[in-house]
Amino acid sequence: MKTLLQGGTVISARGEKKADVLMEDGRIAAVGERLPAGDAQVADCAGKLLFPGFIDGHTHFDLEVCGTITADDFATGGRAALRGGTTMVVDFAAPDKGETLAAGLARWREKAAGKSACDYGFHMTIDDWNEGISREIGEMLDQGISSFKMYMTYPAMMIPEGDMYRALLRLKEVGGIAGVHCENDGVIRELAAEARAAGRMAPASHPRTRPAPLEAEAVGHLLRLAQLADVPVIIVHLSARESLEEVRAARRRGQTVYVETCPHYLLLEDGVYDSPDYMEAAKFVCAPPIRKKADQEELWEALKNGEIDTVATDHCSFTTAQKRAGRYDFTRIPGGLPGVEHRGVLLYTYGVAAGKISASDMCRVLCENPAKLYGCWPRKGVIAPGSDADVVVYDPAADSVITAADQAQNVDYTPYEGRRTAGSIARVYLRGRLAVDHGEVQDVSGQFVFRGKNQL
Ligand code: DUC
Ligand code: ZN
């Protein structure tokens, strides 16, 4: 099957150029000016921007949190991802404590195989430490799992720091890399106990019990362990100015630190927790919590100047009915926000169209950097001969409005309700096949992507 995308502007992390793109048998066959159509089907892309398929390096599909399962599984989440231009997600496989990594991986493969509409890979969660797990870390790389996750909070998943240090050393040996959720769990629990004693159990207590210094403290803590182990690490969902200071200090010491942030930290402010309507505020409970305007501004600046490497969603969706489980106790609200469907259009609207970042910057943080960091470059993350023909056709002139009524995410709200977007996604191609046509997701199926080592 051959398709010629004609007359568009191809975006890369280095710039943009007017060029035609020929897709053949699932791959990019050629990129160039006035390519002959031959027997290819021609798709008119005049006035459109052609981005490589977006990669979301941080999703939680079909995950149990607080005794409930995320509203999106790989079927609904994968369709929502595609609709938003994301042709590949890297989801977090989460073995239970005591379980082998192999068992966790088998479970996640089962959740995704034959269900996911978009391509996918898995990070492996390390929440336990023993000889078996140490050995299995090497085996994970042989199975295309080159990135790992550790938590410094959440009792069900967090790992003691001695074990975390040993895991970092082992990752160094095998060439794997870990993303770490950084928050100081002990003090968070103390602050939550104080809130409980004072009867302050509404969502407004959520950000107060997880303040920015407790994120920054954990970031600094991790980075000192990484310094000792002499390994690069990824700070996932960095939300606060103070955390960025810790990253800067480590980089000045010569450490390699990668940073991810999320659309909700770039676009939302902590006033969302002050709504007098308890359930309205509960919708925004996630960890780390939504921060302040000053944090937002610093994150945008860091995105522009390259201090932040990737923007992922941490998509972890719950319906308002699920969030109601915590209606008398904010600590029982399942944490997480939906977002996998809207990341691209939000970054374009509030970043590119607003003049904060360029289309190339957007390509760097949504496509090229995640592909390199997560070991699937140049198969993914770039429109170049030989790459998978994953292409987002963005129409900068077709503004739209984000609403829960018009989304594929399996939830009854979106944190971005009513926001007008600058342009929208006209079409999405997944390995050369039309996957989305003006919002209509087609019948396509995703594949597991075997990933190699970090190349960023
Ligand atoms: N934060 C959330 O809000 N939900 C899922 C996991 C995480 O780190
Ligand atoms: Zn997460």
Side-chain angles (χ1 to χ4, degrees):
M1 192 178 66
K2 281 192 205 174
T3 309
L4 181 67
L5 305 177
Q6 201 169 53
T9 299
V10 175
I11 312 293
S12 79
R14 273 156 302 283
E16 44 189 81
K17 63 171 183 210
K18 278 216 161 229
D20 298 339
V21 177
L22 180 66
M23 308 189 290
E24 185 173 357
D25 297 333
R27 298 277 173 90
I28 305 287
V31 180
E33 282 178 55
R34 285 184 284 283
L35 293 179
D39 56 353
Q41 207 177 40
V42 175
D44 179 14
C45 293
K48 312 288 194 296
L49 306 176
L50 306 182
F51 287 93
F54 306 142
I55 298 168
D56 192 339
H58 193 147
T59 62
H60 300 280
F61 294 156
D62 205 351
L63 176 72
E64 185 178 336
V65 177
C66 277
T68 186
I69 312 251
T70 52
D72 281 298
D73 62 8
F74 280 85
T76 62
R79 286 172 64 80
L82 273 184
R83 199 164 186 253
T86 292
T87 48
M88 175 178 172
V89 299
V90 192
D91 199 81
F92 291 87
D96 295 333
K97 278 188 188 276
E99 215 178 16
T100 62
L101 302 189
L105 178 59
R107 204 162 56 251
W108 250 261
R109 277 183 176 280
E110 210 174 290
K111 286 171 191 273
K115 267 200 195 169
S116 181
C118 67
D119 284 355
Y120 58 92
F122 305 116
H123 309 285
M124 177 51 63
T125 306
I126 304 171
D127 57 8
D128 243 340
W129 191 251
N130 54 50
E131 266 182 30
I133 288 182
S134 175
R135 191 190 59 251
E136 281 195 285
I137 285 179
E139 293 166 6
M140 287 295 122
L141 273 101
D142 299 335
Q143 299 193 53
I145 311 295
S146 53
S147 48
F148 296 79
K149 172 83 174 278
M150 291 190 277
Y151 291 86
M152 297 173 81
T153 185
Y154 299 136
M157 292 193 281
M158 63 192 281
I159 178 163
E161 57 191 322
D163 292 345
M164 187 158 76
Y165 175 66
R166 284 195 282 172
L168 290 175
L169 289 177
R170 178 70 178 135
L171 290 174
K172 179 181 172 181
E173 250 170 39
V174 301
I177 190 161
V180 183
H181 179 137
C182 298
E183 283 186 291
N184 181 313
D185 190 71
V187 180
I188 288 170
R189 273 190 279 156
E190 212 40 52
L191 295 180
E194 269 179 25
R196 187 179 301 280
R200 295 191 306 264
M201 296 311 284
S205 288
H206 175 69
R208 296 192 181 117
T209 58
R210 304 185 93 102
L214 292 187
E215 179 186 317
E217 187 278 334
V219 170
H221 197 123
L222 167 75
L223 291 178
R224 285 299 187 176
L225 298 189
Q227 179 188 21
L228 203 64
D230 189 25
V231 283
V233 283
I234 307 164
I235 310 298
V236 297
H237 50 48
L238 182 139
S239 70
R241 190 173 46 80
E242 291 94 324
S243 303
L244 213 43
E245 287 300 336
E246 296 293 331
V247 171
R248 288 178 183 135
R251 285 176 173 161
R252 280 196 297 271
R253 295 194 292 269
Q255 288 181 245
T256 301
V257 185
Y258 301 104
V259 176
E260 168 201 281
T261 192
C262 308
H264 42 284
Y265 302 123
L266 290 164
L267 298 178
L268 303 174
E269 288 175 41
D270 62 355
V272 293
Y273 297 117
D274 296 331
S275 168
D277 177 343
Y278 190 109
M279 285 315 301
E280 185 54 35
K283 288 178 186 172
F284 295 91
V285 166
C286 59
I290 304 302
R291 303 294 188 194
K292 300 195 178 300
K293 182 83 184 158
D295 296 289
Q296 255 185 37
E297 285 167 0
E298 188 100 359
L299 293 180
W300 277 112
E301 196 53 42
L303 205 58
K304 172 76 197 157
N305 69 26
E307 289 179 291
I308 292 179
D309 300 286
T310 68
V311 176
T313 60
D314 198 5
H315 179 95
C316 188
S317 58
F318 298 100
T319 61
T320 45
Q322 287 177 295
K323 295 247 176 199
R324 278 186 78 75
R327 64 195 175 283
Y328 304 120
D329 177 350
F330 72 92
T331 66
R332 292 181 187 275
I333 300 169
L337 303 186
V340 75
E341 189 167 341
H342 298 124
R343 180 183 57 144
V345 88
L346 287 170
L347 217 60
Y348 187 87
T349 303
Y350 293 93
V352 181
K356 288 195 169 85
I357 59 172
S358 67
S360 288
D361 294 329
M362 175 166 152
C363 183
R364 177 167 43 83
V365 298
L366 295 194
C367 313
E368 182 166 318
N369 281 354
K372 288 181 171 170
L373 182 59
Y374 296 125
C376 51
W377 170 272
R379 176 175 168 191
K380 304 284 190 188
V382 62
I383 297 177
S387 299
D388 279 1
D390 299 340
V391 179
V392 178
V393 180
Y394 198 93
D395 184 351
D399 294 5
S400 66
V401 177
I402 296 175
T403 63
D406 174 35
Q407 68 178 357
Q409 297 174 144
N410 191 30
V411 277
D412 54 344
Y413 79 100
T414 154
Y416 310 106
E417 182 72 31
R419 294 203 186 216
R420 173 162 279 281
T421 68
S424 56
I425 290 166
R427 270 169 280 143
V428 180
Y429 293 89
L430 176 67
R431 282 175 279 101
R433 292 191 58 182
L434 184 64
V436 181
D437 190 6
H438 295 87
E440 293 299 319
V441 183
Q442 312 292 304
D443 186 20
V444 289
S445 57
Q447 292 178 355
F448 174 72
V449 177
F450 186 103
R451 297 179 298 110
K453 292 178 184 174
N454 167 28
Q455 300 155 267
L456 186 59

